[in-house]
Amino acid sequence: MYFAHLALLCFAKLGCGSEVKMKVFSTFILYFAHLALTLLCEVRLHLDNKNKNPLVFILYCAQFALTLLRQVRLQLDNKNKNPLVFILYCARFALTLPSKYKNYEIFLHRIMSKNISLEVNKAASFLAAGAVEALEPRVKAAQKALEESTCAGNDFLGWMHLASSITAEHLADLKETAKILRENCDTIVVAGIGGSYLGARAVIEALGNSFEWLTNDGKNPVMLFAGNNIGEDYLYELTEYLKGRKFGVINISKSGTTTETALAFRLLRKQCEEQRGIEMARKVIVAVTDAKKGAARVTADKEGYKSFIIPDNVGGRFSVLTPVGLLPIACAGFDIEALVKGAADMEKLTAPEVPFAENPAEQYAAVRNALYAEGKKTEILVNFQPKLHYMNEWWKQLYGESEGKDGKGIFPAAVDFTTDLHSMGQWIQEGERTIFETVISVETPNHTVLFPHDDENLDGLNFLEGKRVDEVNKMAELGTQLAHVDGGVPNMRLVVEKLDEYHLGQMIYFFERACGISGLLLEVNPFNQPGVEAYKKNMFALLGKPGYEKETEAIKAKL
């Protein structure tokens, strides 16, 4: 198609230099041939992307055709023009359509994708006119620093282009390992803490059946999480539950010495070997760790465990799209290719070349920092879908560890509405006006439940009979937003078409990219977490760990 298209243009070019006067009929033949080839190219590109909305594509084609037809009319109205010039004009017009963006992929995403989108008007209205736009130079400078690796923490920027660089072979390896675990385990325990489990759990909880662990129909293994606390009762109850279960373990730890995860793995490894035998344990224990060093790497190599590498240049809270997140998600039965595709697409849509007003990550970073400068010190991430609870938890770590340092930082809080409207709703509505909200709004649920009829109607809710429950939920969402804005709470809204792998991938990368930009606007290093070590030093000193003798003496003096 490309060469046919090129041939037509060359023919038209030659015709322009000729003194032969072509009839209008011939002009139309060339014109419509060009139009047909152009639209066929669009169809092919459209079919290559399963996430495109066909109705948007049809409207685009209609708009394109009408624009060209209008040019036909203008051309025929002007008798002084060579009709072959019109052919060249059409070609030029088609080629310049995507010129607003750096490449054609971004253009196609803009006109045909149902991407997540950010609405900021109900937050920006609390700011002085032009306050957000005034941050554009600093935002673009932050983007440049990220892209050129000239910012603080530049040795931890591997997440930025991770999604677009993941190979099919790597995904196949992860899926094959997940298949082995799924075939040999009815339960899989993910041992990890912080970024080593929150991202995976956020995706699994968002996509899975809320009662998967109760139904346990055998289609998928039960996914459990350990190594994220030092609760003795929790660990006892976990090990009791696993008795008699065919369980496997994914041990996620870069060093292998993080207390919570190392403790859990000791217990789980011992129990797995005793229940399933040494050889089977080696088959169903997988390590996700450093490439060369650390206790977890030494153990994996010694025992012959299948292992995956945590990249040195990707910090834990940015590691969802590494094996840290992808392996557990694949084990739970979800499409990691679609998850990565969503993130890769969002990578393009938040790139530095995308205009500031159209770049959701830049807008989010700018608005939240502008609000922070006006005394809005706490951001509350809100969802109206219980399945997003752990997405809130992942987001809290992402922004809390990235921005909370040097005496600065927006405090990241989160609520699950409408549940928390009956606990935190009062404070949000009428408490101290130092907060703003970002609401994750899911447009379409994956299932349908209708509001039932009740003959007695004692609750007075028969007026809702026959409505989808989600319609009621949406009105609760809108009513809450209006009430909170009226109560002085700036409100942003992140619109997500549905909860599936593709859109969750988009959301993950959107928040990651915005976090990097926002931290640099705040003038902190978004990629370190020195404060996390403080409690560990005290804990080890109190426990009498070898090498902490001086700290032990100092802490005893305080006590």
Side-chain angles (χ1 to χ4, degrees):
M1 284 192 291
Y2 170 78
F3 288 108
H5 185 193
L6 185 63
L8 282 173
L9 294 181
C10 291
F11 180 70
K13 178 81 173 175
L14 291 171
C16 287
S18 172
E19 294 181 358
V20 178
K21 303 293 184 180
M22 293 185 67
K23 295 181 180 179
V24 171
F25 179 72
S26 299
T27 301
F28 276 120
I29 290 175
L30 284 172
Y31 158 64
F32 282 113
H34 160 77
L35 178 62
L37 285 169
T38 301
L39 294 181
L40 282 171
C41 288
E42 295 288 350
V43 169
R44 188 196 54 160
L45 288 168
H46 172 69
L47 293 177
D48 284 344
N49 190 333
K50 297 178 181 179
N51 297 299
K52 305 299 185 184
N53 186 332
L55 293 177
V56 175
F57 171 69
I58 292 169
L59 289 173
Y60 162 72
C61 290
Q63 181 186 32
F64 181 69
L66 286 171
T67 302
L68 292 182
L69 285 171
R70 179 174 177 272
Q71 295 301 323
V72 170
R73 191 195 65 186
L74 292 173
Q75 170 65 28
L76 295 179
D77 285 347
N78 191 336
K79 297 179 181 179
N80 296 318
K81 297 286 181 70
N82 186 328
L84 290 178
V85 174
F86 172 67
I87 303 297
L88 289 176
Y89 169 80
C90 291
R92 181 185 175 193
F93 176 75
L95 290 172
T96 56
L97 276 173
S99 62
K100 189 175 181 182
Y101 304 101
K102 182 179 180 182
N103 57 58
Y104 197 52
E105 283 187 276
I106 293 176
F107 173 70
L108 286 174
H109 284 305
R110 288 290 178 194
I111 63 170
M112 290 158 61
S113 289
K114 186 62 174 178
N115 300 304
I116 66 172
S117 60
L118 181 70
E119 298 173 0
V120 301
N121 57 309
K122 287 183 172 60
S125 61
F126 284 81
L127 299 166
V132 176
E133 291 74 15
L135 287 172
E136 180 178 352
R138 291 183 59 206
V139 168
K140 289 299 183 182
Q143 284 270 55
K144 183 179 180 183
L146 289 169
E147 286 292 335
E148 296 179 357
S149 297
T150 57
C151 62
N154 55 24
D155 48 345
F156 286 99
L157 296 177
W159 57 272
M160 286 186 57
H161 301 294
L162 179 63
S164 58
S165 63
I166 293 175
T167 65
E169 291 76 17
H170 180 57
L171 291 175
D173 191 10
L174 288 164
K175 289 163 66 177
E176 180 60 30
T177 302
K179 180 182 177 184
I180 292 171
L181 288 170
R182 287 169 60 84
E183 288 175 348
N184 290 279
C185 303
D186 56 28
T187 305
I188 297 173
V189 186
V190 180
I193 193 168
S196 293
Y197 93 102
L198 279 172
R201 188 164 191 177
V203 174
I204 291 169
E205 297 277 350
L207 296 175
N209 185 324
S210 301
F211 304 97
E212 183 82 41
W213 59 284
L214 287 174
T215 56
N216 194 19
D217 56 9
K219 293 180 181 178
N220 294 301
V222 175
M223 301 297 296
L224 299 177
F225 298 88
N228 50 67
N229 63 68
I230 319 177
E232 188 166 357
D233 288 343
Y234 181 89
L235 289 170
Y236 172 82
E237 291 161 5
L238 173 65
T239 53
E240 283 295 302
Y241 171 81
L242 292 174
K243 287 181 178 178
R245 308 285 297 182
K246 295 192 298 180
F247 76 93
V249 183
I250 303 174
N251 185 40
I252 305 174
S253 178
K254 200 159 194 174
S255 66
T257 59
T258 303
T259 305
E260 294 89 342
T261 305
L263 168 60
F265 182 63
R266 279 194 181 198
L267 293 168
L268 293 168
R269 175 188 172 188
K270 183 175 184 292
Q271 185 172 355
C272 187
E273 289 176 347
E274 290 174 352
Q275 284 184 202
R276 309 203 65 185
I278 299 292
E279 290 306 312
M280 179 56 75
R282 287 173 176 162
K283 189 174 183 178
V284 297
I285 294 177
V286 179
V288 182
T289 187
D290 190 87
K292 299 178 180 179
K293 61 183 185 297
R297 168 52 58 196
V298 171
T299 302
D301 290 345
K302 178 184 175 183
E303 297 296 331
Y305 300 150
K306 173 70 176 178
S307 65
F308 291 93
I309 295 169
I310 303 174
D312 286 336
N313 60 354
V314 179
R317 58 187 176 275
F318 289 88
S319 66
V320 190
L321 300 174
T322 73
V324 168
L326 295 180
L327 180 59
I329 292 166
C331 286
F334 300 116
D335 187 349
I336 56 175
E337 291 172 330
L339 185 79
V340 170
K341 180 66 167 61
D345 286 353
M346 186 51 60
E347 183 183 318
K348 298 183 182 73
L349 297 175
T350 55
E353 58 268 17
V354 177
F356 176 70
E358 300 172 16
N359 190 314
E362 293 181 356
Q363 286 286 304
Y364 181 56
V367 172
R368 64 197 305 275
N369 274 273
L371 290 169
Y372 180 66
E374 293 297 318
K376 304 298 184 182
K377 305 296 186 182
T378 299
E379 178 178 10
I380 303 173
L381 188 69
V382 179
N383 71 73
F384 280 80
Q385 295 287 344
K387 287 174 173 289
L388 289 174
H389 174 81
Y390 274 94
M391 185 60 71
N392 284 6
E393 297 302 303
W394 170 78
W395 172 88
K396 280 160 59 178
Q397 187 205 1
L398 180 67
Y399 280 82
E401 278 193 350
S402 297
E403 294 187 324
K405 56 199 69 166
D406 301 340
K408 305 176 185 178
I410 299 168
F411 182 78
V415 290
D416 302 322
F417 284 170
T418 60
T419 303
D420 289 336
L421 283 172
H422 297 264
S423 56
M424 295 300 296
Q426 172 61 39
W427 196 99
I428 295 170
Q429 187 68 44
E430 296 183 346
E432 188 177 61
R433 301 297 79 183
T434 55
I435 61 173
F436 65 96
E437 289 178 303
T438 299
V439 179
I440 300 176
S441 179
V442 181
E443 289 189 322
T444 307
N446 291 316
H447 304 287
T448 300
V449 177
L450 300 180
F451 210 100
H453 171 81
D454 184 84
D455 289 339
E456 294 184 346
N457 194 31
L458 296 176
D459 53 20
L461 295 178
N462 271 356
F463 74 99
L464 297 174
E465 178 185 347
K467 292 184 183 293
R468 289 190 66 172
V469 170
D470 189 62
E471 182 180 348
V472 181
N473 197 31
K474 288 292 192 301
M475 293 305 101
E477 178 186 322
L478 179 58
T480 302
Q481 183 189 53
L482 293 171
H484 288 181
V485 170
D486 287 346
V489 181
N491 212 283
M492 286 187 278
R493 184 168 174 259
L494 186 67
V495 182
V496 183
E497 182 182 10
K498 62 186 297 187
L499 290 184
D500 59 15
E501 293 92 336
Y502 178 79
H503 289 94
L504 286 173
Q506 283 203 334
M507 193 190 308
I508 286 165
Y509 190 85
F510 160 77
F511 278 129
E512 288 181 344
R513 187 82 182 209
C515 185
I517 299 168
S518 186
L520 295 182
L521 289 178
L522 196 61
E523 298 181 347
V524 300
N525 179 351
F527 308 113
N528 67 356
Q529 54 282 338
V532 175
E533 300 303 314
Y535 93 88
K536 294 181 183 179
K537 291 178 181 178
N538 288 341
M539 179 180 69
F540 290 144
L542 289 165
L543 289 169
K545 182 177 180 178
Y548 282 77
E549 289 78 10
K550 289 183 179 180
E551 288 83 353
T552 301
E553 290 179 13
I555 229 169
K556 285 182 176 179
K558 289 181 182 179
L559 298 175

